[in-house]
Amino acid sequence: MRVNITVNGEARQVDDVWPGESLLYVLRERLGLPGSKNACEQGECGSCTVYMDGTPVCACLVAAGQAEGREVRTVEGLASGDTLDRVQQAFVDAGAVQCGFCTPGLVVAAHDLLTRTPQPSDPEIREALAGNLCRCTGYEKILDAVRMAARS
């Protein structure tokens, strides 16, 4: 089947999509956007989080056909040209990026939080990031990054 989606502001057409193919697979393998990571394929880790029509979703759980006619924004789409989004920059500045596998999903989740709640409390930050797993950082630097982004 053919899927027409808008990805990071650009209309895209993907041909020969099989019915069980995930949005994550389409983004990574067919459209060359490797930012969203394929970790659990069960929606448990948050590494594949993207916006679909402005709502964060686990791209591994969305069938590609469900994205027909929809607006998708990936972690790559948060930056403006060569300028990182404030959340992306805060993750770099705070040292919240280690292996990087969880980072795209955490960045999208933090971006969504700060869009909804510009000055979140620590419990609000923790709640917003609760669906994202990280095995490297111990989370403190991630929390620091979100706090830093909220201040910028």
Side-chain angles (χ1 to χ4, degrees):
M1 84 175 122
R2 173 177 288 163
V3 177
N4 296 289
I5 56 179
T6 301
V7 180
N8 299 330
E10 182 182 339
R12 304 294 295 265
Q13 179 177 295
V14 185
D15 291 321
D16 300 321
V17 175
W18 52 276
E21 199 165 307
S22 71
L23 174 59
L24 178 61
Y25 185 87
V26 167
L27 293 171
R28 289 181 56 81
E29 306 302 328
R30 294 179 178 270
L31 297 178
L33 296 167
S36 303
K37 302 301 182 213
N38 186 1
C40 72
E41 296 185 30
Q42 297 176 1
E44 295 291 330
C45 71
S47 294
C48 65
T49 304
V50 299
Y51 285 109
M52 189 161 74
D53 292 339
T55 301
V57 298
C58 290
C60 71
L61 295 180
V62 177
Q66 291 177 293
E68 172 67 33
R70 312 287 285 276
E71 173 79 31
V72 174
R73 189 173 183 198
T74 69
V75 69
E76 292 96 338
L78 298 181
S80 178
D82 290 338
T83 304
L84 295 177
D85 175 81
R86 67 182 174 137
V87 176
Q88 293 169 314
Q89 189 62 57
F91 267 67
V92 172
D93 293 346
V97 179
Q98 286 191 18
C99 84
F101 216 77
C102 66
T103 305
L106 283 162
V107 166
V108 172
H111 182 273
D112 180 61
L113 169 66
L114 295 177
T115 299
R116 293 180 290 106
T117 309
Q119 297 297 316
S121 65
D122 278 2
E124 288 171 318
I125 295 170
R126 290 175 190 278
E127 177 68 25
L129 303 182
N132 298 79
L133 301 178
C134 176
R135 294 176 178 94
C136 300
T137 66
Y139 296 98
E140 200 54 45
K141 289 183 184 254
I142 293 167
L143 298 174
D144 290 346
V146 178
R147 291 181 199 112
M148 185 182 298
R151 288 190 303 269
S152 63

